[in-house]
Amino acid sequence: MMPQGTPARPARARAVLIAMLRVALVVLFLGAAATQVLLPLGAAEIADVNPEVTHLVVPYSLAAIVAIAFGEVVLVIVWRLLTLLAAGEIVSVRARRLLEVATICVCGATVVVAGVAVYLGGFAEANGGGLPLMILGGATLSAAVALVLALGRTELAAELARRRVVESARDMA
């Protein structure tokens, strides 16, 4: 026999976890925003010390800012998904659309990061230190996240379709 207060425990635990995740999202968002502001300043300092890379400051800074912006959009989407989860509406068309946008953003960031890696490895001849490989590893990780999001979206679409079938069968009965 279950104790009287047991059903409330999972709901309370979920609320605490959602609150903790939201704090983490705020910290990540603020860190990303600060990085977008500080990154060009750091790149300019590197160009002052190494004038041979001055021509790369603007394009690489823009690439990083765009990739980070994609990440910020994903953070906002995760916040909205948490809101749907807290409201018990996570299995919905809205959640599926949010996952689609998140997938597109992660794919966009992957393309930007992979482009930088390819340029560094193939055209800029920056093969020293394995930097292009590290960046390509980041792009691979980002691509894996995009695939996970796409799988989640597919599973969510399948669950929505299953629920529609059950509801229409219930209406017919």
Side-chain angles (χ1 to χ4, degrees):
M1 209 163 145
M2 295 181 80
Q4 193 173 356
T6 302
R9 284 186 188 163
R12 228 175 316 163
R14 181 184 327 166
V16 168
L17 289 173
I18 288 173
M20 290 170 52
L21 187 50
R22 285 191 170 164
V23 168
L25 290 172
V26 168
V27 170
L28 286 169
F29 193 88
L30 292 174
T35 300
Q36 284 178 308
V37 171
L38 297 175
L39 189 126
L41 301 174
E45 283 184 30
I46 290 172
D48 287 342
V49 174
N50 303 303
E52 66 274 9
V53 298
T54 301
H55 67 287
L56 298 175
V57 169
V58 172
Y60 281 16
S61 294
L62 286 175
I65 289 168
V66 168
I68 292 168
F70 279 129
E72 288 172 330
V73 172
V74 171
L75 292 174
V76 171
I77 288 171
V78 170
W79 185 283
R80 293 187 66 194
L81 288 170
L82 288 174
T83 301
L84 291 174
L85 179 65
E89 300 172 6
I90 194 67
V91 180
S92 64
V93 173
R94 179 184 288 171
R96 190 186 76 205
R97 288 185 182 140
L98 288 170
L99 284 174
E100 288 171 356
V101 174
T103 303
I104 291 167
C105 287
V106 171
C107 288
T110 301
V111 168
V112 170
V113 172
V116 169
V118 167
Y119 180 79
L120 276 175
F123 301 105
E125 298 177 9
N127 294 323
L131 181 63
L133 286 177
M134 290 186 332
I135 294 173
L136 199 55
T140 304
L141 176 63
S142 184
V145 170
L147 291 172
V148 168
L149 286 170
L151 178 64
R153 184 231 166 262
T154 302
E155 290 300 315
L156 186 56
E159 177 61 20
L160 287 169
R162 186 191 70 74
R163 287 186 180 193
R164 279 192 298 271
V165 168
V166 168
E167 286 175 12
S168 65
R170 192 177 312 146
D171 291 342
M172 296 173 103

